[in-house]
């Protein structure tokens, strides 16, 4: 019997498939980040990297309990798209320093893990594209995630240009 498992991204659940001569027994999939390590149930918070899955088929009328050979699959970082959420209006002060906040959305449209969603934020440096009063476009540079999320998420962009903030 052989197991196949497509790659996934952080926060998703693997969907392994078993091709077996006998599938009358119950099939359970267990996972490990080390091929010869301890295998256990999948946890959505498992970090990106190389993982291994094996199928355990419980005893049936004709066969003893069996375990498949481990198969590798990859968990990639979830990709986030930064966008300008809020911007404070430009005051005419002869400068270009702007203030604003960014919002993050999932690049593939799949939900972000709820445990992470509340704390996930990106920061960047906001600057007006001109020092003139009435300017309503900004550039945002140096967009970065909070370092505690860097091992599970990546941004699709580290800068945004000419973002219009007209109401």
């Amino acid at each position: 019997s052989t197991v196949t498992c497509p790659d996934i991204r952080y926060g998703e659940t693997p969907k392994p498939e078993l091709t077996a001569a006998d599938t009358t027994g119950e099939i359970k999939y267990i996972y490990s980040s080390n091929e010869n390590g301890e295998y256990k149930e999948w946890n959505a918070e498992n970090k990106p990297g190389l993982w291994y899955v094996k199928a355990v088929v419980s005893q049936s009328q004709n066969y003893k309990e069996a375990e498949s050979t481990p198969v590798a699959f990859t968990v990639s970082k979830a990709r986030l798209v930064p966008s300008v959420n809020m911007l404070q209006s430009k005051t005419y002060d002869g400068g270009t320093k702007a203030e604003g906040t960014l919002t993050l959305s999932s690049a593939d449209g799949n939900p972000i893990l709820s445990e992470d969603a509340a704390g996930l934020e990106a920061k960047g440096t906001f600057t007006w594209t001109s020092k003139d009063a009435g300017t309503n476009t900004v550039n945002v540079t140096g967009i970065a995630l909070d370092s505690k999320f860097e091992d599970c998420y990546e941004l699709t962009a580290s800068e945004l240009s000419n973002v219009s903030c007209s109401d």
Side-chain angles (χ1 to χ4, degrees):
S1 56
T2 56
V3 176
T4 54
C5 188
D7 293 344
I8 59 168
R9 72 129 167 101
Y10 175 71
E12 292 180 332
T13 303
K15 296 183 176 43
E17 281 185 22
L18 177 68
T19 324
D22 174 57
T23 52
T24 53
E26 186 194 345
I27 303 168
K28 188 173 100 180
Y29 295 102
I30 49 178
Y31 304 87
S32 176
S33 57
N34 179 340
E35 190 172 5
N36 303 311
E38 182 192 349
Y39 282 73
K40 39 189 183 218
E41 304 257 316
W42 185 256
N43 173 341
E45 292 175 37
N46 284 344
K47 299 264 187 265
L50 194 60
W51 284 83
Y52 297 88
V53 58
K54 49 187 177 181
V56 179
V57 181
S58 60
Q59 187 170 341
S60 69
Q61 212 172 334
N62 304 322
Y63 294 92
K64 291 192 177 95
E65 178 174 289
E67 221 175 66
S68 71
T69 312
V71 169
F73 67 99
T74 302
V75 178
S76 60
K77 291 182 181 188
R79 303 187 69 211
L80 300 172
V81 181
S83 57
V84 174
N85 180 28
M86 196 200 74
L87 207 53
Q88 291 177 7
S89 302
K90 168 126 181 70
T91 51
Y92 182 69
D93 56 6
T96 57
K97 184 178 173 356
E99 296 285 326
T101 57
L102 294 165
T103 190
L104 295 167
S105 56
S106 167
D108 59 14
N110 291 341
I112 292 167
L113 267 189
S114 54
E115 299 80 45
D116 293 344
L120 256 179
E121 59 174 20
K123 296 202 167 8
T125 305
F126 286 72
T127 47
W128 294 106
T129 54
S130 158
K131 59 185 192 326
D132 302 338
T135 298
N136 68 353
T137 52
V138 289
N139 293 328
V140 189
T141 54
I143 301 172
L145 284 172
D146 184 320
S147 59
K148 72 178 179 193
F149 292 110
E150 285 176 347
D151 53 355
C152 298
Y153 294 92
E154 64 185 0
L155 296 170
T156 57
S158 60
E159 19 190 274
L160 299 170
S161 300
N162 290 315
V163 178
S164 169
C165 56
S166 46
D167 305 320

